[in-house]
Amino acid sequence: MVYTISGVRFSHLPSIKNSSLPSFNEDRRSNAVSFSLRKDSRSSGKICARKPSYDSESSSLATTASEKLGGHQSDSSSAATDQVEPRETVSADTQILEETEGRDQTSALSTSNIASMPESFVQEVGLRKIPPPGDGKKIYDIDPMLKKYNGHLDYRYGQYRKLREEIDKNEGGLEAFSRGYEIFGFTRSDTGITYREWAPGAKAASLIGDFNNWNSKADVMTRNEFGVWEIFLPNNADGSPAIPHGSRVKIRMDTPSGIKDSIPAWIKYSVQAPGEIPYNGVYYDPAEEEKYVFKHPRPRRPTSLRIYESHVGMSSTEPMINTYANFRDDVLPRIKKLGYNAVQIMAIQEHSYYASFGYHVTNFFAPSSRFGTPDDLKSLIDKAHELGLVVLMDIVHSHASKNTLDGLNMFDGTDGQYFHSGSRGYHWMWDSRLFNYGSWEVLRYLLSNARWWLEEYKFDGFRFDGVTSMMYTHHGLQVEFTGNYDEYFGYSTDVDAVVYLMLVNDMIHGLYPEAIVVGEDVSGMPAFCIPVQDGGVGFDYRLHMAVADKWIELLKKRDEDWKVGDIVFTLTNRRWGENCVVYAESHDQALVGDKTIAFWLMDKDMYDFMAVDSQATPRVDRGIALHKMIRLITMGLGGEGYLNFMGNEFGHPEWIDFPRTDQHLPDGRVIPGNNGSYDKCRRRFDLGDAEYLRYHGLQEFDRAMQHLEEKYGFMTSKHQYISRKDEGDRVIVFERGNLVFVFNFHWTNSYSDYRIGCFVPGKYKIVLDSDDSLFGGFNRLDDSAEFFTSDGKYDDRPRSFMVYAPCRTAVVYAAVEGDEEDEESSLVPIGLVPEDL
């Protein structure tokens, strides 16, 4: 159940202007069937209450874009407008289908008013440039089927180019536009503190807080004609800042619906006082000697991405909310030892409801105070960089908390400031608000937010949550995507949102070419992972969400009902040329109400029969064997990147249950809680480390998988060939890079002298064996054995060799050269194998 703050229901205030960024309403339908993958229709819902559906509005409701920001005279820091290096502009695409009128082409930070900006901001504008748009036509060469939809796609790219052109003209370029955090919110100069806020619906505003005893008459703000409120607080006589570090602050506004106190929208830190429900904004500006200074450079972008998905708060073995410091010291070394090269951290952006898993954000620029201070988070990231781990942030731009006291909802007393007004601005399943991506100031806010985390905290990239919900007006709910291109390029596509994703990806990759951006999309949107300049949406990876659902579907059946062809199809059914991050299970499957793979396989036997020195049950034997096989085949066939949620690598026996109290619904129903218990909101890493438990074997196998990929780079090899998917034998054989994978899913049949096809001639050796006793197996193979190929076509391969394939095992063979003693140097280099014969 999503937690919300109850309070006054504010009436809707119409927009100050009706101008907006135009939305696409042109539908170019075709009956062509796509070669695209079939995707599961499940949207990325988190812990939330179901609500009745509301009718979706058909048109884009734009929020007013405030125009020019008048300069203040109190701040001595200034710079001349002509110091800003102009951005290159690109003319509008000649193939845009329809012209729109009335667009507001000025904003709160027009270049004609940059004199009011801090000097440091102006000096840095132009130092890093984002390349101008391309022609967006390459997607038609990559996927010729898209030519039938060139009307929609050319319009979309035209809107993107026009936006870039307008941003160049009115903001000094996308590089400057994405620095909104250096203007809005609290900014400090040598002479004092300036606070600015865009709140066009407010009729009066004051800055209040501990520093002025919450006196609304002490620091009254001034408003320009475009809804930007501003106040300058000069330093105290002794030179100290007017607002001390750590002071609570809010903005009090007289709105059409009454007096309202709000946390500043650009607040950098927010805390919850003991015994209180809403959060308080905090002015965070420690002394220079107290600020964390990064010591280690960012690691280079890894060739193959192996992600350890993490939640800081529940990363302790004890039932408590863990800290950034403990995660840094205890969990990061574990991740490194396991062989992962990336850590993806959830729930960073401040969220008032802990059990939302961080997906109902209230303060977008503030790191969650539950886990420590902003400087603690910086220390964590710096330590990860020291260990060679890239750090990805699970960023939420798909929706926002509907809280009105500590979030953006009804910020200035109006329904449509940051969000679509009415039913279009409400996500009925997630019980949250939906951004209006056609608003100029929303674009500034979200683009600046993404950049803030890269600049200030040195994150190395993002996993964008809920992208399917963003790209379609139906949000992917109750929709089954079949792969027909009509599903992607029609009336249900929210072009404003897609254009925003193009903008943010272009901004991220332009400023940080090494950054990694993963998009959570279940729909299979074509060109999702094609660069923006080529006409794509610009993500580096798509999260391959259908695979986890396929495993759950199969685990509900008997082994006898599994189809190996179905497994192979699901794992390989992805768009050619677009990278995927694949996973067998993520945090979604670990939540209360769902089951992890380990729990599907072993159920309650996990609690009583996991001691190594005791007899395992048939259910445990089956579970341990299939747990390893499922993970390895997912990594081997499913994508170019791999993800695992923390604890799942060793089959964590408990689900995740955040502390909850009973929820009383308006219809009288009661959803029982757990008495606020933290007992199931932790990770029992001690189980995976205990050599006397079978969990340890699963953990060691996962570790071996990661190191196998590190050594051989099979996930990123262009060579992938599936030579056998035998429904009778239940055997799958495939090549990835110079490795040959052999999976025997049969529950009883083991095969001696089993011939498998291959391409590389010569000698092969076992490099990973799921049946090894180290991994909780039965040790039925001799890992020192050598296997030699014989010529002659077999399973459409030019050569073959014979192996022993025990039941429920996965074995990986690597080609080696000659009889060199140094096996490391004898490995056949990746890349010598052609894509296929």
Side-chain angles (χ1 to χ4, degrees):
M1 178 69 180
V2 172
Y3 167 82
T4 56
I5 301 294
S6 58
V8 180
R9 185 177 181 83
F10 298 110
S11 59
H12 170 64
L13 178 68
S15 296
I16 298 175
K17 292 191 178 204
N18 293 324
S19 61
S20 69
L21 302 179
S23 295
F24 179 74
N25 292 313
E26 193 77 16
D27 188 14
R28 295 289 186 265
R29 296 191 174 275
S30 168
N31 294 322
V33 178
S34 165
F35 61 82
S36 167
L37 59 164
R38 178 182 293 271
K39 288 284 188 178
D40 174 42
S41 62
R42 179 177 61 83
S43 182
S44 175
K46 310 301 173 188
I47 303 178
C48 54
R50 287 184 173 269
K51 296 288 185 180
S53 176
Y54 294 91
D55 292 334
S56 176
E57 297 169 1
S58 59
S59 60
S60 175
L61 301 178
T63 306
T64 301
S66 57
E67 299 186 355
K68 298 178 182 178
L69 177 63
H72 60 79
Q73 302 302 317
S74 303
D75 191 344
S76 61
S77 297
S78 63
T81 304
D82 58 8
Q83 285 180 275
V84 180
E85 183 177 338
R87 291 291 181 275
E88 297 176 286
T89 59
V90 181
S91 60
D93 193 331
T94 57
Q95 297 192 41
I96 293 177
L97 298 180
E98 54 185 342
E99 294 296 329
T100 56
E101 298 179 356
R103 174 178 290 184
D104 183 359
Q105 298 199 4
T106 52
S107 69
L109 294 181
S110 171
T111 54
S112 61
N113 289 275
I114 294 180
S116 63
M117 297 180 182
E119 184 176 2
S120 61
F121 173 79
V122 178
Q123 288 177 344
E124 292 186 20
V125 169
L127 294 182
R128 285 189 285 182
K129 290 186 177 181
I130 299 168
D135 61 9
K137 303 295 185 183
K138 191 174 180 180
I139 53 173
Y140 302 127
D141 297 327
I142 297 172
D143 183 357
M145 291 186 66
L146 292 175
K147 292 178 181 178
K148 295 181 180 180
Y149 301 87
N150 67 328
H152 178 105
L153 291 166
D154 287 352
Y155 175 85
R156 184 178 83 182
Y157 203 76
Q159 292 302 101
Y160 164 75
R161 291 181 60 171
K162 287 174 67 177
L163 251 182
R164 286 289 305 270
E165 187 174 331
E166 290 177 11
I167 291 170
D168 288 346
K169 177 181 177 181
N170 297 295
E171 302 285 353
L174 188 55
E175 196 278 341
F177 190 48
S178 59
R179 285 180 177 264
Y181 51 82
E182 296 192 358
I183 299 299
F184 286 100
F186 294 94
T187 57
R188 185 180 174 189
S189 67
D190 292 338
T191 56
I193 297 170
T194 301
Y195 170 56
R196 296 190 185 96
E197 197 73 71
W198 175 62
K203 296 178 287 186
S206 298
L207 179 62
I208 57 175
D210 294 331
F211 72 99
N212 64 7
N213 295 316
W214 302 91
N215 183 356
S216 61
K217 297 180 180 179
D219 294 292
V220 178
M221 303 179 71
T222 59
R223 180 191 193 275
N224 69 11
E225 69 267 37
F226 305 108
V228 177
W229 296 87
E230 179 179 332
I231 189 170
F232 176 76
L233 303 176
N235 290 336
N236 297 322
D238 62 358
S240 62
I243 308 177
H245 164 62
S247 298
R248 294 176 298 167
V249 289
K250 286 190 176 182
I251 178 173
R252 175 166 294 173
M253 293 175 283
D254 182 5
T255 75
S257 48
I259 303 298
K260 180 179 187 291
D261 291 350
S262 295
I263 294 177
W266 300 72
I267 198 72
K268 306 303 190 299
Y269 192 47
S270 181
V271 300
Q272 185 182 41
E276 293 187 4
I277 293 178
Y279 274 59
N280 290 291
V282 172
Y283 178 73
Y284 193 85
D285 186 23
E288 288 299 320
E289 61 271 15
E290 297 176 4
K291 293 180 180 178
Y292 187 83
V293 178
F294 285 92
K295 305 176 182 65
H296 305 284
R298 302 175 190 264
R300 295 300 303 270
R301 175 175 175 161
T303 302
S304 65
L305 190 61
R306 303 186 300 278
I307 303 172
Y308 197 81
E309 185 184 31
S310 308
H311 185 288
V312 171
M314 51 172 293
S315 63
S316 172
T317 58
E318 301 299 323
M320 57 178 279
I321 298 179
N322 209 14
T323 65
Y324 294 124
N326 288 344
F327 188 93
R328 175 197 65 207
D329 297 337
D330 301 334
V331 183
L332 286 179
R334 170 181 297 276
I335 297 171
K336 177 66 175 179
K337 182 179 179 181
L338 285 172
Y340 291 86
N341 56 24
V343 52
Q344 178 181 303
I345 308 181
M346 309 171 65
I348 291 296
Q349 294 167 293
E350 190 60 88
H351 48 291
S352 65
Y353 184 40
Y354 190 37
S356 75
F357 232 136
Y359 291 108
H360 285 68
V361 177
T362 46
N363 310 118
F364 282 78
F365 287 82
S368 179
S369 59
R370 286 185 180 88
F371 317 136
T373 68
D375 288 284
D376 290 337
L377 175 58
K378 292 177 181 179
S379 175
L380 183 161
I381 295 171
D382 200 26
K383 179 63 176 180
H385 289 168
E386 180 186 6
L387 294 172
L389 299 170
V390 298
V391 187
L392 306 181
M393 175 178 166
D394 205 343
I395 196 169
V396 183
H397 283 182
S398 51
H399 62 134
S401 168
K402 73 174 188 180
N403 291 6
T404 58
L405 297 184
D406 49 15
L408 292 179
N409 189 23
M410 306 292 291
F411 181 80
D412 66 352
T414 68
D415 183 49
Q417 182 189 2
Y418 284 96
F419 311 108
H420 288 292
S421 60
S423 61
R424 187 178 177 187
Y426 177 72
H427 197 294
W428 63 266
M429 179 175 281
W430 294 347
D431 193 26
S432 55
R433 295 304 310 272
L434 298 171
F435 286 106
N436 176 5
Y437 304 102
S439 163
W440 191 271
E441 293 304 316
V442 170
L443 291 179
R444 184 199 311 281
Y445 186 82
L446 294 178
L447 288 168
S448 299
N449 184 244
R451 183 167 181 179
W452 167 254
W453 297 106
L454 295 172
E455 295 270 351
E456 183 70 13
Y457 290 91
K458 300 192 183 301
F459 279 97
D460 301 293
F462 302 105
R463 178 264 202 184
F464 272 79
D465 175 71
V467 175
T468 302
S469 177
M470 297 172 67
M471 295 192 297
Y472 307 96
T473 55
H474 52 60
H475 310 303
L477 302 176
Q478 300 175 333
V479 174
E480 181 176 357
F481 290 97
T482 66
N484 189 316
Y485 278 27
D486 290 347
E487 298 164 349
Y488 308 115
F489 308 122
Y491 285 114
S492 62
T493 303
D494 188 337
V495 171
D496 288 340
V498 177
V499 168
Y500 164 68
L501 293 171
M502 295 166 70
L503 280 172
V504 73
N505 278 318
D506 226 11
M507 184 267 295
I508 292 169
H509 291 120
L511 296 175
Y512 291 94
E514 292 278 298
I516 301 165
V517 190
V518 182
E520 185 194 39
D521 172 42
V522 73
S523 74
M525 167 69 80
F528 188 77
C529 295
I530 301 299
V532 174
Q533 64 180 0
D534 296 333
V537 184
F539 286 95
D540 296 306
Y541 296 87
R542 185 202 313 270
L543 210 59
H544 199 348
M545 302 176 68
V547 173
D549 294 327
K550 173 57 67 174
W551 287 124
I552 299 303
E553 174 191 322
L554 291 176
L555 290 171
K556 294 177 181 178
K557 302 177 180 180
R558 304 177 308 158
D559 291 27
E560 293 87 338
D561 297 325
W562 290 20
K563 302 294 183 185
V564 295
D566 189 28
I567 295 172
V568 170
F569 175 79
T570 302
L571 289 170
T572 58
N573 191 22
R574 58 189 187 272
R575 294 193 179 280
W576 178 83
E578 298 192 40
N579 292 337
C580 285
V581 170
V582 70
Y583 57 94
E585 56 185 342
S586 68
H587 68 271
D588 284 324
Q589 287 73 38
L591 295 169
V592 165
D594 209 330
K595 291 182 181 180
T596 62
I597 288 176
F599 210 85
W600 277 109
L601 289 167
M602 294 178 280
D603 203 68
K604 60 183 176 62
D605 285 14
M606 297 177 69
Y607 297 103
D608 299 317
F609 301 99
M610 295 297 281
V612 172
D613 60 359
S614 66
Q615 181 65 41
T617 65
R619 177 182 285 174
V620 167
D621 283 340
R622 171 182 180 266
I624 288 177
L626 289 179
H627 193 273
K628 293 177 287 188
M629 296 179 71
I630 287 171
R631 292 180 128 60
L632 182 59
I633 197 170
T634 298
M635 186 184 218
L637 273 183
E640 292 71 34
Y642 179 79
L643 177 143
N644 166 67
F645 179 66
M646 64 178 187
N648 286 354
E649 68 273 9
F650 61 84
H652 198 286
E654 295 176 343
W655 54 77
I656 300 166
D657 190 9
F658 284 88
R660 294 177 291 111
T661 56
D662 294 347
Q663 298 291 324
H664 297 269
L665 303 182
D667 60 7
R669 291 182 297 131
V670 177
I671 300 177
N674 60 11
N675 295 319
S677 172
Y678 286 88
D679 185 60
K680 298 296 189 293
C681 195
R682 55 177 174 158
R683 295 282 90 179
R684 293 291 307 276
F685 293 120
D686 55 311
L687 300 178
D689 292 341
E691 296 183 9
Y692 57 86
L693 295 176
R694 291 185 166 90
Y695 296 108
H696 182 69
L698 297 179
Q699 178 170 285
E700 286 301 303
F701 183 77
D702 192 87
R703 180 185 177 195
M705 274 179 27
Q706 309 311 317
H707 288 280
L708 183 76
E709 161 56 28
E710 176 69 23
K711 184 174 182 179
Y712 293 96
F714 57 85
M715 280 198 304
T716 54
S717 172
K718 293 182 179 179
H719 176 65
Q720 178 174 303
Y721 192 93
I722 301 161
S723 59
R724 175 165 293 221
K725 39 187 177 180
D726 192 312
E727 298 292 353
D729 292 345
R730 303 301 171 95
V731 171
I732 299 171
V733 180
F734 62 87
E735 299 164 28
R736 194 96 187 257
N738 290 311
L739 301 180
V740 180
F741 293 74
V742 180
F743 290 82
N744 180 4
F745 279 96
H746 203 284
W747 49 98
T748 57
N749 290 355
S750 298
Y751 307 108
S752 299
D753 297 330
Y754 198 81
R755 187 170 293 278
I756 60 173
C758 65
F759 176 78
V760 177
K763 181 173 66 176
Y764 283 78
K765 298 192 72 172
I766 295 174
V767 290
L768 184 61
D769 169 19
S770 71
D771 200 46
D772 193 304
S773 58
L774 175 64
F775 310 137
F778 296 100
N779 228 26
R780 288 170 286 180
L781 291 170
D782 179 4
D783 290 349
S784 65
E786 297 177 342
F787 305 84
F788 295 88
T789 63
S790 57
D791 293 335
K793 198 166 186 180
Y794 189 82
D795 283 348
D796 291 326
R797 309 310 287 147
R799 300 166 189 89
S800 62
F801 60 96
M802 290 193 296
V803 300
Y804 175 45
C807 61
R808 287 184 179 147
T809 59
V811 185
V812 184
Y813 300 86
V816 295
E817 288 182 337
D819 297 318
E820 293 93 337
E821 294 182 3
D822 184 3
E823 185 177 323
E824 292 287 338
S825 64
S826 68
L827 300 175
V828 179
I830 292 296
L832 292 184
V833 180
E835 291 190 17
D836 200 26
L837 286 180

